[in-house]
Amino acid sequence: MSDIAVLGAGPAGIMTALKAREQGHEVTIFEASDRVGGMAASFEVAGQRVDFGSHRLHPATDPEIMSLIKSLLGEDLQTRERHGRIRLKNKWIGFPLRTLDMVRHLPIRFSGAVALETLTKPLRSSKTSDFQSEIQRRLGPTVEREFYGPYARKLYGVDPRELTTELSNRRVSAGGPVQIIKNAVRASRPEGRVFYYPRRGYGQIAESLADAAVDRGVKLKLGAPATLVAVKEGHVEVTCGDSSIEAKTLFSSIPLNALMQTLDPPPPAEIVTAASQQRTRGMIIAHLVVPRSQYTEFDAHYFPGLEITTARLSEAKNYRDGDDPDDLTVLCAELACWVDDEIWNLPSEDIGQLVEEDLQRAGLPSTGHVHVEVQRLPSVYPVYEHSTIGARETIDNWLRKPGRVVSLGRQGLGVPDNLHHVLAMGSRGASALDASGLINQTAWQNSLDEFAQHVVQD
Ligand SMILES: Cc1cc2nc3c(=O)[nH]c(=O)nc-3n(C[C@H](O)[C@H](O)[C@H](O)COP(=O)(O)OP(=O)(O)OC[C@H]3O[C@@H](n4cnc5c(N)ncnc54)[C@H](O)[C@@H]3O)c2cc1C
């Protein structure tokens, strides 16, 4: 018997396994794919390491977790300065926003309106009921209309009035225009724009954690999708691929719906129904191979405007000083969509063409790409809609009483969290285990309350 089984070798699953092993448990991880890292993995395109979209390790990372990552990666973890741009009102503005840049480049009517709305914030009603009204209250109608509103519609696929304030609270850290200005002043100093990034791509974080876990004795089984999780009187039987083990407790970081399909006995019907009502937005990740050493000097371009399908374009090379090929660069376009949208099944070359047209619309030059590789992530952004608040509560209450099966991680809890958040979840999950490998429900419930306070860093 393995004390602990873990489903999914994304960051959450790996951290759970590593920490549970450090506490002396026997641990086995099962991962469906042939690599670790999940959405935070890296892989090669045209001989260059790339990620699933723009990824950064944020300074907000818990110090203990940051020092673990630093100790594993050493000098490979580079301290970088953000160097992105956002397309607003047909102008390029540095992103994160910088005061001087805003004054210099934003149309006077825009900056004037933002200034006025900053002064009148105390007059705005504090009673808000949806994403749109909450952002209008905090940041003013102009910033909502020009940036957060269309960007939310693009990412989540619904009118921002259909989205709950829980989503705005979890996704938008700025509390008001004054805070935006404070952030902009901070971002005007290079040290205020710092992030961390590994020499060999973001996936190096998960790979080094997985190596550390395996070195300490964790068994890692790749190519092993979960097919059956049978909960018995004193243990849980886990079948993944052609392996089967018994464990005292199972941690699952795979999508909650996928976990539910493997559970025997199945969850109560009301839980299955509630889970099926939750929508998640998919994402097409298109890597364009460009036969020149650099496309632009910027690490990322953000496109909130709805006339452009691409949400963000990043250039992997610009995130690091690495061993990248000199004669080519690989661009990554992120396109949010539903999995039944027509675009989801478009051939790679058509998606490449669509991205080219987007870039042209944004005033960027043709990339002259020679090859496109497309990845399709079916569940990236949980969509918190008014129509499913009740269903979310039903699921959350069920997840608070985990028994022998604990669901965590971004897809396990249906949250929009960053890597550093899910690493913290893994660590807290393991520390909620008692010496015999059983979960302490009160400790886990306290952790869930803490996770609910996570705010995503962009
Ligand atoms: C476009 C994009 C940009 C992002 N940018 C940032 C950023 O800048 N900074 C940041 O901190 N975070 C960022 N994130 C978030 C970060 O990628 C996630 O927080 C993190 O990957 C979540 O880890 P996880 O382990 O919870 O889940 P996942 O990474 O989803 O891992 C789940 C794992 O479970 C496996 N699995 C699925 N089904 C099964 C099954 N049936 N059996 C076994 N295994 C299975 C999957 O293959 C996967 O490996 C970004 C995410 C996206 C999509």
Side-chain angles (χ1 to χ4, degrees):
M1 165 150 3
S2 192
D3 289 341
I4 305 298
V6 178
L7 298 183
I14 297 169
M15 190 65 151
T16 312
L18 173 64
K19 290 294 173 183
R21 180 67 195 141
E22 283 176 357
Q23 286 166 30
H25 299 289
E26 293 294 322
V27 186
T28 308
I29 315 183
F30 297 98
E31 164 59 45
S33 76
D34 58 2
R35 65 171 164 245
V36 301
M39 288 191 275
S42 292
F43 53 99
E44 272 197 16
V45 170
Q48 190 180 301
R49 294 259 291 177
V50 297
D51 306 335
F52 287 98
S54 165
H55 273 83
R56 308 167 197 273
L57 180 63
H58 294 282
T61 303
D62 171 83
E64 211 174 297
I65 291 175
M66 184 61 95
S67 72
L68 170 63
I69 295 173
K70 282 185 173 165
S71 73
L72 294 174
L73 289 179
E75 294 199 344
D76 273 4
L77 189 68
Q78 300 175 351
T79 305
R80 306 285 303 185
E81 209 181 289
R82 289 182 72 141
H83 188 43
R85 292 197 293 185
I86 182 166
R87 189 76 174 158
L88 270 187
K89 306 290 287 173
N90 284 329
K91 307 263 182 213
W92 288 115
I93 315 287
F95 192 78
L97 302 173
R98 273 157 250 168
T99 2
L100 201 59
D101 201 40
M102 287 203 299
V103 174
R104 250 201 239 135
H105 298 294
L106 281 177
I108 186 74
R109 282 181 63 180
F110 185 99
S111 30
V114 172
L116 184 67
E117 287 160 16
T118 303
L119 294 173
T120 54
K121 184 186 174 199
L123 306 178
R124 289 199 284 276
S125 165
S126 59
K127 282 198 190 125
T128 58
S129 54
D130 57 56
F131 187 101
Q132 183 184 65
S133 58
E134 174 60 14
I135 298 295
Q136 285 177 344
R137 180 191 72 78
R138 279 200 253 162
L139 306 172
T142 305
V143 173
E144 192 283 327
R145 188 180 60 245
E146 302 296 343
F147 177 27
Y148 283 105
Y151 210 46
R153 187 189 280 266
K154 190 182 271 194
L155 296 187
Y156 300 106
V158 294
D159 189 303
R161 284 171 297 193
E162 302 297 324
L163 298 168
T164 64
T165 50
E166 186 189 354
L167 190 66
S168 42
N169 295 342
R170 281 179 182 258
R171 277 300 313 226
V172 182
S173 54
V178 173
Q179 197 176 337
I180 286 204
I181 292 165
K182 273 192 194 155
N183 291 349
V185 170
R186 201 183 56 215
S188 305
R189 300 188 300 269
E191 64 274 18
R193 305 198 283 271
V194 156
F195 70 100
Y196 302 96
Y197 192 88
R199 180 181 185 81
R200 290 187 38 73
Y202 201 71
Q204 200 180 347
I205 298 174
E207 289 161 12
S208 67
L209 287 166
D211 288 347
V214 170
D215 283 351
R216 287 163 176 71
V218 168
K219 296 186 193 81
L220 170 63
K221 295 188 185 288
L222 298 176
T227 48
L228 181 65
V229 172
V231 182
K232 308 279 174 169
E233 186 60 30
H235 64 275
V236 50
E237 269 173 35
V238 186
T239 306
C240 297
D242 48 18
S243 314
S244 206
I245 63 161
E246 291 182 1
K248 295 255 180 61
T249 294
L250 169 79
F251 287 95
S252 170
S253 63
I254 71 176
L256 187 58
N257 270 315
L259 170 66
M260 286 185 176
Q261 281 162 24
T262 67
L263 280 177
D264 174 27
E270 57 159 356
I271 305 296
V272 177
T273 306
S276 69
Q277 287 167 357
Q278 295 297 307
R279 296 204 292 172
T280 49
R281 192 91 156 136
M283 178 170 277
I284 292 176
I285 304 274
H287 284 103
L288 277 64
V289 180
V290 176
R292 62 171 118 148
S293 72
Q294 193 179 42
Y295 176 61
T296 74
E297 63 176 89
F298 298 96
D299 51 23
H301 288 91
Y302 297 79
F303 307 106
L306 291 169
E307 70 289 359
I308 293 176
T309 310
T310 304
R312 178 163 58 181
L313 180 87
S314 50
E315 186 161 0
K317 261 187 176 180
N318 296 347
Y319 283 67
R320 61 199 179 215
D321 292 323
D323 313 311
D324 297 311
D326 286 334
D327 55 344
L328 62 86
T329 187
V330 181
L331 304 176
C332 178
E334 298 167 33
L335 296 87
C337 60
W338 301 110
V339 294
D340 48 9
D341 282 349
E342 201 186 329
I343 188 178
W344 184 255
N345 291 316
L346 278 186
S348 304
E349 277 314 327
D350 292 5
I351 292 174
Q353 189 50 38
L354 197 151
V355 172
E356 289 287 0
E357 287 162 16
D358 274 350
L359 301 186
Q360 200 182 359
R361 238 171 259 133
L364 286 164
S366 159
T367 73
H369 72 269
V370 290
H371 178 62
V372 186
E373 279 186 29
V374 168
Q375 315 287 327
R376 293 173 177 85
L377 302 179
S379 103
V380 167
Y381 295 120
V383 184
Y384 293 178
E385 295 167 277
H386 294 300
S387 53
T388 56
I389 287 181
R392 265 182 60 69
E393 275 172 15
T394 304
I395 295 166
D396 284 351
N397 287 335
W398 182 68
L399 292 172
R400 290 178 76 81
K401 301 175 204 108
R404 290 192 181 271
V405 179
V406 183
S407 189
L408 46 61
R410 179 158 158 146
Q411 302 194 68
L413 293 180
V415 290
D417 287 14
N418 290 116
L419 170 123
H420 62 278
H421 295 134
V422 303
L423 292 179
M425 286 180 193
S427 178
R428 297 301 299 270
S431 63
L433 288 169
D434 68 18
S436 73
L438 289 175
I439 198 87
N440 175 320
Q441 300 237 358
T442 311
W444 182 240
Q445 284 165 5
N446 291 339
S447 299
L448 287 172
D449 292 339
E450 279 174 35
F451 305 157
Q453 308 306 317
H454 290 165
V455 178
V456 175
Q457 310 276 319
D458 273 318

